[in-house]
């Protein structure tokens, strides 16, 4: 063999394994399952295309040598599972693989496909995963479960009892309704039990048929063998009746449905009794009566009808046509007429077509007069009544002469008048009565019944929302009570007074008087006494009446009722600023918003001033809190008054009956306490009453009593907290802070007594004492400033500028060394007036700072309207710098804003070196807080100055 032959043989030997690998890879790529093989280091050594396509993964990423973790990371980036689960999933899988046992799991991909993954360790080290798309199988299993659940739900919720047997007469299934129907034991009557066993247990529970138990058993088995559908009526253990209907199936089994027919059988028996009573009533009627179908064929008639028309029972059999009845009656000599039977029949058809139920008079051969009425039925056909009115006709004739005598007098009366006989038929009426109701003289005349008049008046629209029949029934009921007066409210708004007097020989005299204007005047007076004249809402009197009615209903019928008390925020400011006319417009606007947002049966009232209240039924307190929240948001919306946008807002207190009592005064007291709490929360809020509020109110009352004497008793004192420049750490001044040391209570928190002082106005004299004391204390402090807080209430009181001027002069303190701090609340109350006062103070040379900036409303318009010397950043932001990104952003923004506007910015509440470094980095120009010193009494201010100066020299 030559060397060339040796080379070719070697090449073929190398190509053999590569070709085998290529063929293996080709086979793997055409598999329906995805396959990926990893070595002992969890790196891919073999992967097919199906694995990549199932997970939508890239062949450039997932290839030989790629680690298992990188494969999972790539799969997570495609959305096949959350990236947050990557580490946990990788750790769990590697741990399971290391255990050396194969395991299976499922994974739902982002595409919605469900993958089955089987992971197997390999004998020589390493492992492999085999993946398959089982989405269709999962859907089929889910659909099968859903179908099974639906079938079971339908079976369990059937109104009928159901039991099914197989071809071997054994129970396949029965529902709960079947077991409950017969009081059967589910441990006995269950799938697999024989039919005979079920029958025996059924009989043992007291259920029975209309035969002995043995016969019933045999009868049921005969039915099964005959395989013929059959209905059986059986009696339950409690006496109820059940109808069992069996149906047989092709496979040899059968299903029996059991229906409780107790009520149906009782109803059928009741109906039978009613029909017997109806027949008896029909035959004993004084009037003739006949029913006809839509083809004018007789269905039923009474004996009176036969007597009137001289017809025999054979001649009035059901199905006889009306034309034939007319002909037979005429032949029998009942009546004679110039009209033919066919013409009489056509007249009847025309009346029925036009639904004309007015009476027709028919004179019989024996000189009796019969009133005939045809009344069409809604479901087809008609009913005819035949009334002997001979005596009535004679009475009418006798009264005619008397009627003519009184006609002139009657028709000249100012009141309407109508005389009725004992059957409530008109004897006489005057023209004024007819004109008053706008009635037709063709209908309202002697002999017509009051029922017909009322039907006529309803037809022409005199009485709305009623019918002639209802009106007449009510009228008859009232007349049974005897002589009386009633008022009719007509559809055109008029009110007619009807006065009924009995006549000596029976019947009635009725007079009619138009009292519309009189009633309107009375109604106006009554309405004004119980309603607010400005808003037309119920006033306090009517509100308490309705509250009493509501509480009685709650006490007797249950349920709940809420009382919501409303108080407008800043209403006095609107009155003072825009005048009382604008305040009235605001109150009407609020009343309208309240009425628009309550339920149909709720009551809205104005109790006085800017106080409103609502009574609300329903589930409580949820309904009341939802309503209160909505109204707080609505009334907080700006309102245009005098071409300016006004913010008012509302505070709401809620009390609920019966939880908080069933006494009206007690419930109002609870709502008022809740309202006070809502206002204490900062206004523009609602509060549900809590029992603790009563104790809080007593405590607050006692605190208010002590507060009124605190100033005179010299219980107040000031403490001073240093303020330091950041760039030089130079002490610039102190803020004067008010403290109250009560002889019994000890130190009372300013957060507790200052809002109380603002509410009752004591803050004005207390604030003046603070200002004068602070100025006098600061006078000897070289060039240091003293900062004093002003309450919004002080801006509303007169003489603030004069008081500041007097305090500076009295202490000999230069105005530039006094800094007055105001809050955004003071600006919100009456922005324009407050800004004007600030300009007057600024003209004195006093510095003005905006305190607690960043909380509250934080309107930049305040900084535009007035050039503040300083913005103080609230301590709540500084204290959360290390926890809240929002606080960091706010501090930086305010500091930048101050830098742009050329205004100093002081960070309050700095307690640590980290906070100090941060506010310095943010650009704040000054700080105040425990880091540089706690508030100290006036006697210790000198030592604090020396300490801070020493710190500065060291720095």
């Amino acid at each position: 063999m030559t060397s060339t032959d040796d080379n070719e043989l070697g090449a073929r030997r190398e190509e053999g394994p590569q070709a085998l690998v290529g063929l293996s890879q080709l086979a793997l790529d055409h598999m329906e399952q995805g396959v990926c093989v990893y070595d002992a280091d969890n790196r891919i050594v073999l992967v097919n295309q199906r694995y990549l396509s199932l997970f939508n993964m890239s062949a450039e990423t997932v290839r030989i040598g790629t680690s298992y973790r990188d494969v999972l990371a790539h799969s997570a980036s495609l959305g096949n599972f959350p990236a947050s689960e990557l580490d946990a999933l990788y750790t769990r899988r590697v741990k399971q693989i290391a255990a050396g046992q194969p395991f299976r799991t499922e994974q739902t991909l982002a595409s919605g496909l469900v993958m089955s993954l089987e992971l197997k360790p390999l004998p020589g080290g390493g492992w492999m995963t085999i993946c398959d798309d089982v989405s269709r199988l999962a859907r089929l299993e889910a659909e099968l479960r859903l179908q099974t659940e639906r079938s079971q739900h339908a079976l369990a919720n059937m109104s009928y009892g159901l039991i099914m047997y197989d071809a071997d007469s054994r129970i396949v299934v029965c529902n709960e309704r079947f077991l409950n129907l017969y009081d059967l034991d589910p441990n006995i009557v269950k799938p697999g039990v024989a039919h005979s066993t079920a029958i025996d247990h059924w009989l043992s529970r007291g259920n029975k048929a209309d035969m002995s138990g043995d016969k019933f058993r045999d009868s049921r088995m005969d039915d099964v063998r005959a395989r013929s559908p059959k209905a059986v009526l059986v009696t339950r253990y409690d006496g109820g009746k059940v109808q069992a209907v069996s149906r047989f199936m092709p496979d040899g089994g059968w299903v029996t449905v059991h229906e409780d027919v107790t009520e149906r059988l009782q109803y059928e028996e009741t109906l039978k009794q009613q029909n017997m009573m109806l027949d008896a009533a029909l035959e004993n009627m004084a009037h003739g009566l006949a029913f006809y179908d839509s083809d004018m064929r007789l269905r039923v008639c009474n004996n009176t009808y036969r007597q009137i028309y001289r017809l025999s029972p054979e001649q009035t059999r059901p199905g006889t046509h009306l034309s034939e009845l007319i002909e037979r009656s005429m032949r029998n000599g009942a009546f004679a007429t110039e009209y033919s039977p066919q013409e009489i029949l056509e007249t009847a058809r025309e009346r029925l077509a036009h639904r004309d139920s007015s009476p027709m008079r028919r004179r019989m051969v024996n000189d009796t007069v019969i009133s005939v009425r045809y009344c069409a039925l809604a479901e087809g056909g008609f009913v005819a009544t035949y009334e002997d009115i001979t005596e009535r006709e004679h009475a009418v004739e006798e009264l005619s002469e008397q009627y003519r005598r009184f006609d002139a007098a009657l028709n000249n009366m100012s009141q309407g008048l109508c005389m009725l006989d004992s059957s409530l038929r008109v004897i006489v009426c005057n023209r004024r009565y007819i004109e008053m109701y706008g009635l037709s003289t063709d209908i309202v005349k002697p002999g017509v019944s009051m029922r017909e008049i009322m039907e006529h008046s309803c037809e022409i629209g005199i009485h709305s929302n009623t019918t002639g029949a209802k009106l007449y029934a009510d009228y008859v009921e009232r007349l049974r009570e005897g002589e009386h007066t009633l008022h009719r409210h007509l559809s055109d708004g008029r009110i007619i007074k009807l006065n009924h007097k009995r006549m000596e020989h029976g019947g009635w005299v009725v007079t009619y008087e138009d009292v519309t204007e009189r009633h309107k005047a009375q109604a106006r007076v009554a309405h004004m006494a119980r309603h607010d004249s400005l808003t037309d809402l119920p006033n306090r009197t009517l509100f308490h009446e309705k509250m009493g009615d509501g509480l009685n209903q709650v006490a007797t019928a249950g349920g709940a009722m809420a009382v919501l008390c409303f108080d407008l925020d800043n209403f006095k400011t609107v009155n003072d600023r825009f005048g009382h006319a604008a305040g009235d417009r605001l109150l009407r606007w609020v009343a309208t918003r309240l009425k628009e947002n309550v339920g149909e049966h709720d009551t809205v009232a104005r109790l006085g001033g800017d106080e409103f209240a609502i009574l609300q039924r329903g589930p409580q307190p949820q309904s009341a809190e939802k309503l209160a929240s909505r109204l707080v948001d609505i009334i907080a919306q700006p309102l245009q008054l005098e071409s300016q946008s006004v913010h008012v807002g509302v505070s709401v207190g809620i009390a609920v009956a019966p939880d908080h009592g069933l006494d009206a005064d007690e419930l109002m007291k609870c709502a008022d306490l809740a309202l006070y709490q809502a206002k204490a929360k900062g206004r523009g809020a609602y509060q549900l009453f809590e029992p603790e509020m009563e104790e809080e109110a007593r405590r607050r009352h006692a605190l208010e009593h002590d507060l009124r004497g605190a100033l005179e008793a010299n219980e107040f004192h000031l403490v001073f907290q240093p303020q330091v420049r950041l760039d030089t750490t130079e002490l610039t001044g102190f803020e004067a802070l008010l403290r109250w040391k009560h002889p019994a209570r000890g130190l009372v928190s300013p957060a507790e007594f200052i809002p109380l002082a603002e509410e009752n106005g004591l803050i004005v004299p207390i604030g003046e004492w603070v200002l004068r004391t602070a100025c006098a204390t600061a006078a000897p402090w070289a060039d240091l400033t003293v900062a004093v807080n002003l309450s919004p209430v002080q801006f509303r009181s007169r003489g603030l500028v004069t008081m500041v001027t007097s305090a500076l002069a009295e202490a000999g303190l230069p105005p530039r060394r006094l800094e007055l701090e105001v809050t955004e609340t003071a600006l919100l109350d009456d922005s324009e007036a407050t800004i004007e006062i600030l300009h007057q103070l600024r003209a004195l040379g006093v510095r003005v700072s905006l305190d607690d900036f960043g909380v509250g409303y934080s309107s930049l318009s305040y900084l535009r309207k007035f050039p503040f010397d300083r913005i103080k950043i609230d301590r709540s932001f500084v204290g959360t710098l290390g926890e809240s990104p929002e606080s960091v952003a706010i501090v930086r923004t305010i500091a930048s804003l101050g830098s742009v506007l050329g205004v100093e910015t002081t960070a309050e509440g700095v307690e640590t070196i980290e906070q100090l470094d941060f506010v310095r980095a943010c650009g704040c120009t000054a700080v105040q807080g425990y880091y540089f010193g706690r508030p100290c009494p006036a006697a210790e201010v000198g030592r604090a100055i020396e300490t801070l100066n020493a710190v500065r020299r060291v720095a």
Side-chain angles (χ1 to χ4, degrees):
M1 182 180 294
T2 64
S3 60
T4 303
D5 293 334
D6 290 338
N7 291 336
E8 289 178 355
L9 181 59
R12 281 196 298 271
R13 287 175 178 169
E14 291 179 0
E15 288 175 358
Q18 291 178 356
L20 184 58
V21 170
L23 288 172
S24 299
Q25 184 66 49
L26 183 62
L28 284 173
D29 287 341
H30 285 81
M31 285 179 65
E32 282 296 319
Q33 297 173 313
V35 176
C36 189
V37 181
Y38 293 85
D39 60 17
D41 295 326
N42 293 326
R43 293 187 176 275
I44 294 175
V45 296
L46 190 64
V47 62
N48 70 349
Q49 288 296 324
R50 181 61 173 165
Y51 179 81
L52 299 176
S53 62
L54 283 176
F55 292 94
N56 196 27
M57 292 193 291
S58 170
E60 296 180 358
T61 302
V62 180
R63 57 186 181 179
I64 294 174
T66 303
S67 70
Y68 181 48
R69 182 181 179 86
D70 289 343
V71 172
L72 287 179
H74 179 51
S75 183
S77 69
L78 297 174
N80 290 327
F81 64 89
S84 58
E85 299 177 5
L86 174 60
D87 292 336
L89 180 62
Y90 176 75
T91 303
R92 185 169 66 253
R93 293 270 179 88
V94 169
K95 185 177 180 180
Q96 289 174 307
I97 292 164
Q101 294 296 325
F103 62 92
R104 183 185 297 272
T105 185
E106 284 190 359
Q107 179 179 347
T108 302
L109 306 186
S111 61
L113 296 179
V114 179
M115 291 296 160
S116 171
L117 285 78
E118 183 178 4
L119 288 82
K120 298 180 178 179
L122 299 177
W127 53 281
M128 69 182 297
T129 177
I130 302 173
C131 309
D132 200 2
D133 182 354
V134 294
S135 303
R136 182 173 178 273
L137 178 60
R139 285 196 300 272
L140 290 175
E141 290 175 348
E143 289 173 3
L144 181 58
R145 286 195 300 272
L146 179 61
Q147 188 63 33
T148 302
E149 290 173 1
R150 287 175 176 170
S151 300
Q152 293 173 346
H153 181 74
L155 189 64
N157 288 278
M158 286 178 65
S159 60
Y160 297 153
L162 181 142
I163 186 166
M164 179 186 292
Y165 294 90
D166 60 17
D168 296 326
S169 299
R170 293 189 176 277
I171 296 174
V172 177
V173 67
C174 68
N175 64 0
E176 188 175 352
R177 174 61 177 158
F178 173 78
L179 298 172
N180 293 338
L181 199 60
Y182 295 113
D183 189 28
L184 302 179
D185 187 345
N187 294 319
I188 297 176
V189 180
K190 58 186 179 180
V193 170
H195 175 258
S196 58
T197 304
I199 289 291
D200 291 341
H201 178 63
W202 183 87
L203 290 168
S204 72
R205 304 298 274 191
N207 304 296
K208 57 188 177 181
D210 56 356
M211 60 186 76
S212 67
D214 292 337
K215 286 185 178 181
F216 180 66
R217 236 183 255 102
D218 295 340
S219 172
R220 292 304 290 161
M221 290 312 299
D222 289 343
D223 293 339
V224 171
R225 284 189 288 271
R227 301 189 59 77
S228 59
K230 186 175 181 181
V232 178
L233 187 65
V234 298
T235 304
R236 296 194 326 165
Y237 62 92
D238 59 358
K241 297 295 182 179
V242 177
Q243 180 174 281
V245 180
S246 298
R247 294 287 186 271
F248 292 89
M249 298 180 292
D251 63 358
W254 75 95
V255 176
T256 305
V257 175
H258 300 255
E259 178 187 3
D260 189 338
V261 295
T262 309
E263 292 186 3
R264 189 181 77 192
L265 295 177
Q266 290 173 348
Y267 172 75
E268 290 172 353
E269 180 61 26
T270 302
L271 187 60
K272 179 181 177 182
Q273 295 296 327
Q274 289 177 345
N275 287 336
M276 292 174 60
M277 295 173 62
L278 180 61
D279 290 341
L282 193 64
E283 288 304 324
N284 287 278
M285 286 180 62
H287 296 178
L289 185 139
F291 288 90
Y292 299 88
D293 62 20
S294 56
D295 294 328
M296 304 188 81
R297 293 187 178 276
L298 183 67
R299 294 175 61 186
V300 66
C301 67
N302 65 358
N303 197 47
T304 304
Y305 167 77
R306 297 189 189 97
Q307 291 174 356
I308 290 173
Y309 286 100
R310 299 182 181 180
L311 297 170
S312 66
E314 291 76 14
Q315 292 174 323
T316 55
R317 288 179 177 175
T320 306
H321 198 275
L322 178 58
S323 61
E324 187 176 348
L325 293 169
I326 295 172
E327 291 174 359
R328 289 175 179 175
S329 179
M330 293 177 72
R331 283 198 303 268
N332 293 343
F335 70 98
T337 177
E338 59 186 280
Y339 300 106
S340 68
Q342 188 60 35
E343 288 175 328
I344 295 175
L345 189 65
E346 289 302 321
T347 300
R349 283 199 176 99
E350 185 176 349
R351 279 177 168 266
L352 290 170
H354 292 86
R355 294 192 173 273
D356 183 358
S357 60
S358 60
M360 298 181 293
R361 286 170 174 77
R362 184 162 293 153
R363 189 169 293 277
M364 312 303 286
V365 171
N366 58 1
D367 286 333
T368 59
V369 180
I370 304 298
S371 175
V372 181
R373 290 173 182 267
Y374 293 138
C375 180
L377 301 176
E379 62 272 16
F382 63 97
V383 61
T385 59
Y386 307 87
E387 181 183 3
D388 187 340
I389 60 171
T390 307
E391 293 183 6
R392 189 190 313 152
E393 288 288 309
H394 293 161
V396 170
E397 290 174 3
E398 292 173 3
L399 289 172
S400 294
E401 182 61 28
Q402 184 178 355
Y403 179 81
R404 284 191 293 271
R405 293 175 184 174
F406 290 101
D407 183 59
L410 291 175
N411 287 324
N412 285 281
M413 290 177 61
S414 61
Q415 294 180 333
L417 182 141
C418 189
M419 295 177 65
L420 305 174
D421 64 15
S422 57
S423 299
L424 298 184
R425 292 184 176 274
V426 173
I427 301 171
V428 65
C429 66
N430 66 358
R431 187 181 298 113
R432 175 62 180 146
Y433 165 69
I434 293 174
E435 292 172 349
M436 189 177 290
Y437 283 96
L439 302 173
S440 169
T441 54
D442 294 333
I443 294 177
V444 184
K445 53 189 175 183
V448 69
S449 71
M450 183 54 70
R451 180 180 185 126
E452 292 175 90
I453 295 175
M454 290 178 175
E455 289 174 349
H456 170 54
S457 64
C458 288
E459 288 173 1
I460 62 177
I462 297 297
H463 304 287
S464 58
N465 300 323
T466 188
T467 64
K470 290 181 181 178
L471 203 61
Y472 181 74
D474 177 68
Y475 191 68
V476 170
E477 188 64 30
R478 287 175 177 268
L479 287 180
R480 287 199 184 104
E481 300 171 2
E483 297 184 359
H484 70 282
T485 299
L486 64 87
H487 293 81
R488 294 283 190 211
H489 292 259
L490 307 187
S491 57
D492 60 3
R494 288 181 297 139
I495 303 173
I496 307 299
K497 176 183 177 183
L498 285 70
N499 191 37
H500 296 77
K501 295 288 184 182
R502 287 187 185 274
M503 293 192 293
E504 184 178 353
H505 301 292
W508 301 86
V509 174
V510 188
T511 57
Y512 303 82
E513 181 184 1
D514 189 335
V515 293
T516 307
E517 293 303 321
R518 187 190 311 166
H519 270 254
K520 286 182 178 178
Q522 293 172 349
R524 281 194 295 271
V525 172
H527 185 84
M528 290 172 63
R530 296 154 62 84
H531 288 78
D532 173 51
S533 59
L534 177 64
T535 62
D536 200 40
L537 293 176
N539 60 14
R540 188 180 294 271
T541 300
L542 182 54
F543 182 77
H544 274 274
E545 290 179 11
K546 288 186 175 290
M547 186 191 296
D549 294 340
L551 291 174
N552 287 336
Q553 291 180 11
V554 171
T556 57
M561 181 182 74
V563 179
L564 296 87
C565 288
F566 296 77
D567 188 81
L568 297 185
D569 303 331
N570 307 314
F571 176 69
K572 184 179 182 302
T573 302
V574 173
N575 259 347
D576 294 343
R577 183 176 175 187
F578 300 107
H580 289 285
D584 289 347
R585 286 198 297 276
L586 172 60
L587 291 174
R588 284 193 291 269
W589 178 82
V590 171
T592 301
R593 300 291 82 77
L594 295 180
K595 287 190 291 186
E596 289 174 348
N597 286 275
V598 298
E600 179 183 358
H601 302 293
D602 298 340
T603 299
V604 181
R606 182 187 176 208
L607 305 183
D610 61 339
E611 298 178 48
F612 294 85
I614 292 176
L615 292 177
Q616 183 195 48
R617 296 301 299 265
Q620 301 296 352
Q622 303 92 328
S623 298
E625 290 182 311
K626 183 178 180 181
L627 175 61
S629 176
R630 183 167 68 249
L631 290 172
V632 166
D633 292 341
I634 290 172
I635 297 176
Q637 301 299 317
L639 171 68
Q640 290 296 319
L641 281 179
E642 305 296 333
S643 301
Q644 293 192 45
S645 182
V646 174
H647 294 263
V648 281
V650 69
S651 300
V652 188
I654 305 170
V656 175
D659 295 352
H660 304 143
L662 287 170
D663 178 76
D665 293 335
E666 180 67 21
L667 207 59
M668 283 299 295
K669 186 187 81 171
C670 293
D672 285 337
L673 288 174
L675 175 60
Y676 173 79
Q677 191 67 28
K679 289 157 70 171
K681 287 165 63 175
R683 303 178 183 270
Y686 69 87
Q687 176 67 50
L688 180 67
F689 172 76
E690 297 173 356
E692 297 80 9
M693 292 178 183
E694 291 188 281
E695 179 59 32
E696 174 63 22
R698 286 191 288 270
R699 193 194 66 77
R700 176 180 166 276
H701 180 74
L703 185 65
E704 181 179 356
H705 177 269
D706 293 349
L707 183 62
R708 292 186 180 279
L711 189 61
E712 186 176 349
N714 294 320
E715 294 175 5
F716 291 118
H717 68 276
L718 297 182
V719 293
F720 299 87
Q721 186 170 33
Q723 297 173 322
V724 177
R725 285 187 61 85
L726 270 176
D727 56 352
T728 63
T729 66
E730 175 188 0
L731 175 66
T732 59
F734 291 85
E735 180 181 359
L737 302 171
L738 178 62
R739 296 292 184 265
W740 176 20
K741 188 173 183 180
H742 188 275
R745 300 174 186 271
L747 281 174
V748 183
S749 169
E752 189 174 2
F753 73 81
I754 287 180
L756 187 60
E758 289 181 326
E759 184 178 332
N760 58 29
L762 289 174
I763 195 66
V764 174
I766 292 174
E768 181 175 353
W769 178 87
V770 170
L771 181 66
R772 293 184 184 278
T773 304
C775 289
T777 303
W781 297 347
D783 290 333
L784 298 177
T785 63
V786 63
V788 178
N789 291 281
L790 292 181
S791 165
V793 180
Q794 290 176 274
F795 283 89
R796 294 197 292 269
S797 66
R798 297 181 179 179
L800 176 60
V801 177
T802 302
M803 188 264 287
V804 172
T805 304
S806 172
L808 289 171
E810 183 180 308
L813 182 71
R816 62 181 177 79
R817 290 180 52 204
L818 174 64
E819 184 171 309
L820 298 176
E821 297 185 1
V822 298
T823 62
E824 297 170 78
T825 307
L827 300 171
L828 180 68
D829 283 351
D830 192 349
S831 178
E832 298 299 329
T834 302
I835 293 296
E836 176 58 30
I837 293 173
L838 291 177
H839 278 294
Q840 294 177 24
L841 293 172
R842 189 70 174 280
L844 297 176
V846 172
R847 293 167 57 86
V848 181
S849 64
L850 183 57
D851 195 15
D852 296 338
F853 191 73
V855 298
Y857 298 91
S858 299
S859 174
L860 297 180
S861 63
Y862 303 146
L863 301 178
R864 179 178 56 81
K865 292 180 180 179
F866 185 81
F868 290 95
D869 296 288
R870 183 188 306 276
I871 299 173
K872 300 192 74 174
I873 303 172
D874 189 71
R875 67 179 62 250
S876 62
F877 301 118
V878 176
T880 57
L881 286 175
E883 307 167 6
S884 170
E886 292 81 6
S887 296
V888 172
I890 290 172
V891 172
R892 283 177 175 165
T893 301
I894 297 175
S896 300
L897 181 64
S899 176
V900 171
L901 296 177
V903 178
E904 295 183 21
T905 49
T906 297
E908 295 184 290
V910 174
E911 299 181 1
T912 65
I913 185 62
E914 291 80 11
Q915 292 173 346
L916 179 66
D917 292 340
F918 185 83
V919 297
R920 179 185 283 118
C922 286
C924 295
T925 60
V927 292
Q928 178 179 337
Y930 288 176
Y931 182 79
F932 286 100
R934 294 177 178 269
C936 61
E940 298 178 11
V941 168
R943 186 187 309 162
I945 294 173
E946 291 178 1
T947 301
L948 288 169
N949 285 338
V951 170
R952 182 182 175 222
R953 284 193 296 273
V954 171

